[in-house]
Amino acid sequence: MKYALITGASRGLGKAVALRLAKDGFAVIINYQSNREAAEDTLKQVQEAGGFGELMPFDVSDPQAIEHALEAWQAAHPDDYISVLVNNAGIRKDNLMVFMQDEEWNKVLDTTLNGFFYITRRLLKDMMMHRNGRIINMASLSGIKGLPGQANYSAAKAALIGATKALAQEVAARKVTVNAIAPGFIATDMTKELNEAELKKLIPMGRFGKPEEVASLVSFLASDEASYITGQAISINGGLYT
Ligand code: NAP
């Protein structure tokens, strides 16, 4: 069995990724922070489609909780390792910089950037030892272009892209690839209060993306077909930014 851990897989992009990777034949480890009901629904859908999955709740910004959860997983799976990691959990706390509170800045960086660091560092060793691994980081258009009102989020996502490029070079010889995905506007809980009618006028394709469209890209990057792609930040945004 090949295992894929997807952080923030109770809802939105992470859920679509979990369903897709399960369809691709991975046993999926569904991480979430607090929304157990939604995570259970993801698991139910995985199982109904004939796939394998399990829940693994932890806060990605809490290194002790991560260690605890992964140790317990390893004890239950002594002969296995996690070969695909999708660092997807993320939050927005938008505000103009002039009004931004420490908590808004720190929370966003803790979740996106520190979360990536804690989990990836923990799983890298096994991937390197087995000379096989895929790390896929959910960045954003905001991390490439910068978006006003999102200095915290843009900084976190841009840093995630920088770390992706650096780490890719560290582990390439061990056949571990590290890539980032930079979605534009995708229809999920995170974007549901945005003015879609106005924003979609800016998008050449004239619509928000679907979580399944992002999941297709994750599926490809996680596959053997993508073995020579590493250190990239791949945009998926309906032509919004090139
Ligand atoms: P979403 O619908 O708000 O879902 C967020 C997911 O992350 C949930 O599963 C949530 O778990 C989990 N999560 C949040 N904080 C966490 C933490 N500290 N520890 C563990 N899990 C945590 O968001 P989304 O739209 O699917 O976004 C997924 C990723 O794509 C994010 O990194 C986001 O920045 C990025 N992205 C999204 C868009 C977009 O347009 N939607 C565009 C560009 C990039 P609970 O259910 O337990 O709260």
Side-chain angles (χ1 to χ4, degrees), residues 7-14 31-36 38 58-61 87-91 111-112 138-141 153 157 182-191:
T7 66
S10 46
R11 296 182 280 125
L13 299 185
N31 163 259
Y32 63 100
Q33 182 175 29
S34 55
N35 199 334
R36 182 166 190 99
F58 58 76
D59 176 347
V60 295
S61 66
N87 286 303
N88 166 78
I91 54 167
T111 307
T112 287
M138 207 57 83
S140 170
L141 170 77
Y153 186 84
K157 296 298 193 185
F185 293 104
I186 313 295
T188 68
D189 288 350
M190 188 177 271
T191 51

Side-chain angles (χ1 to χ4, degrees), residues 130-150:
H130 288 89
R131 292 182 168 272
N132 175 40
R134 295 279 188 270
I135 296 164
I136 299 158
N137 299 322
M138 207 57 83
S140 170
L141 170 77
S142 187
I144 295 178
K145 188 179 185 285
L147 290 178
Q150 293 200 322

